[in-house]
Amino acid sequence: MLSVEQLEQFKRDGFLVVEGFASLEEVAALKQRGEELVEAWDPEAISVFSTRNQTSKTDNYFLDSASDVGFFFEEKALDEGGKLVKPKNRAINKIGHALHDLDPVFRRWSRSSHVADVMQSLGFQRPVPVQSMLIFKQPYVGGEVVPHQDSSFLCTSPLSCVGIWLALEDATQTNGCMWTLPGSHLDGVHRRFVRAPDGTVSFEGDMPEFEEAAFVPLEAKAGSLVLLHGANVHTSKENNSPVSRHAYTMHFVESAPGYTYATDNWLQRRAEVPFEPLYDISGSSSTPETPPAFAQPPHRCRQAVTAQS
Ligand SMILES: O=C(O)CCC(=O)C(=O)O
Ligand SMILES: [Fe+2]
């Protein structure tokens, strides 16, 4: 469980690093499973993941990956004709987004008691892991992740998204660790990433300009966990080094009574792959006296929302 000091830090800063959260054996098992998945994958359908060009085109492979284990490549690992110029295990950007439900090895870790303890410490009553990503940040081709807030992508009413990011390899400033803006979660959610009925996805609203010097590095040893409040602004740079930076990340939302998941979030599950809460204590306690640590500021999740999970 998180200590009172750790919870205070998370509420104040919008992020928290928990060193030594996973054992080196757990880390090795997840890393090895990731490598096996890439080995078994035949990259005939190539979908490139870029946080820059995600905005306008309809990409069914991306949308379908909400209920699947999808493979996304680095832009820099493809030539102009879309052919891989690197071996697939050095070209992959990430695997997502239902790994935590569909893959037995990732499922076991994602639903372990230590993960549940963290969510309970944060005040979640019925947390649903809505997405997971195995991120590779490969040597030389690992792309930038532009500054963003996870609640822009995973809107609930009221807002509740929290990310947990596990380093599977040491993340340093050299190989593209994350950077965060302390306290940025107190300024609200600046934009939303929404999906129209025809499947087109787009951003609504603009991110402000941030001063680069205000970001602090989130260096993390393999096994460390980084908690990210949904309104926290974070980013990671390109990896121009010879060393990869593997990480496994999951995003949770609250689904206790009173919380709804936006029907225009990009991430919608097919009926045969329903969301599954990690645990449910929502019936067992009355409304907490203090707001949970994940409570988020006023937001712009304006569209009609319905309970989904
Ligand atoms: O691993 C990264 O570089 C970015 C991860 C991220 O944005 C997240 O886990 O929310
Ligand atoms: Fe993120």
Side-chain angles (χ1 to χ4, degrees):
M1 296 296 250
L2 300 173
S3 67
V4 173
E5 290 74 31
Q6 285 175 312
L7 283 171
E8 285 308 314
Q9 218 178 314
F10 179 73
K11 282 194 233 175
R12 182 191 69 218
D13 297 336
F15 66 91
L16 178 74
V17 180
V18 184
E19 283 174 14
F21 180 79
S23 69
L24 292 181
E25 291 73 33
E26 287 171 81
V27 165
L30 295 176
K31 209 178 137 184
Q32 190 193 328
R33 181 63 180 159
E35 283 160 8
E36 283 166 18
L37 291 171
V38 176
E39 187 53 40
W41 169 247
D42 174 12
E44 58 183 27
I46 287 184
S47 190
V48 176
F49 181 75
S50 156
T51 52
R52 288 190 190 287
N53 74 5
Q54 214 179 45
T55 50
S56 56
K57 77 178 172 33
T58 306
D59 180 340
N60 287 331
Y61 187 83
F62 170 66
L63 295 178
D64 288 348
S65 74
S67 315
D68 238 315
V69 176
F71 293 70
F72 298 87
F73 287 90
E74 291 287 358
E75 274 174 312
K76 272 170 91 176
L78 302 174
D79 67 15
E80 276 158 23
K83 274 224 162 74
L84 285 184
V85 295
K86 292 264 173 190
K88 63 179 176 178
N89 65 347
R90 290 291 182 184
I92 185 140
N93 165 287
K94 68 173 179 183
I95 304 179
H97 291 90
L99 207 51
H100 63 290
D101 281 337
L102 301 177
D103 180 78
V105 176
F106 282 95
R107 186 178 172 100
R108 199 173 317 122
W109 188 84
S110 305
R111 293 180 179 276
S112 62
S113 58
H114 344 313
V115 172
D117 287 347
V118 168
M119 300 320 288
Q120 212 172 324
S121 293
L122 293 173
F124 279 86
Q125 297 203 339
R126 191 174 184 269
V128 176
V130 287
Q131 72 170 17
S132 51
M133 294 180 273
L134 179 60
I135 300 176
F136 293 89
K137 268 285 190 209
Q138 300 292 8
Y140 307 116
V141 295
E144 176 190 12
V145 175
V146 296
H148 67 278
Q149 298 171 295
D150 298 329
S151 281
S152 294
F153 298 87
L154 299 167
C155 184
T156 57
S157 188
L159 287 166
S160 62
C161 176
V162 167
I164 69 167
W165 182 102
L166 177 70
L168 300 182
E169 295 181 319
D170 295 351
T172 66
Q173 293 185 44
T174 311
N175 68 357
C177 69
M178 284 195 290
W179 292 71
T180 181
L181 209 47
S184 53
H185 64 305
L186 303 173
D187 296 336
V189 176
H190 303 291
R191 63 177 183 177
R192 283 198 62 208
F193 183 65
V194 293
R195 168 180 181 155
D198 68 358
T200 309
V201 287
S202 59
F203 283 106
E204 279 183 359
D206 295 307
M207 279 306 251
E209 288 287 320
F210 300 109
E211 218 184 296
E212 203 173 328
F215 283 83
V216 299
L218 283 168
E219 293 193 307
K221 290 252 171 246
S224 291
L225 192 75
V226 180
L227 300 186
L228 294 168
H229 187 284
N232 168 273
V233 175
H234 54 282
T235 179
S236 65
K237 298 181 188 168
E238 286 185 336
N239 181 8
N240 294 314
S241 84
V243 181
S244 58
R245 198 226 65 185
H246 296 187
Y248 176 59
T249 179
M250 279 199 285
H251 292 89
F252 286 87
V253 298
E254 178 59 290
S255 68
Y259 286 81
T260 47
Y261 185 83
T263 52
D264 61 354
N265 282 334
W266 82 267
L267 190 147
Q268 302 292 333
R269 283 286 181 87
R270 290 195 297 274
E272 63 279 17
V273 190
F275 285 136
E276 297 175 56
L278 191 62
Y279 57 80
D280 184 359
I281 54 167
S282 62
S284 65
S285 55
S286 55
T287 312
E289 276 157 31
T290 50
F294 64 78
Q296 293 183 28
H299 58 81
R300 314 197 301 173
C301 192
R302 302 176 308 276
Q303 310 259 336
V305 288
T306 49
Q308 242 226 349
S309 48

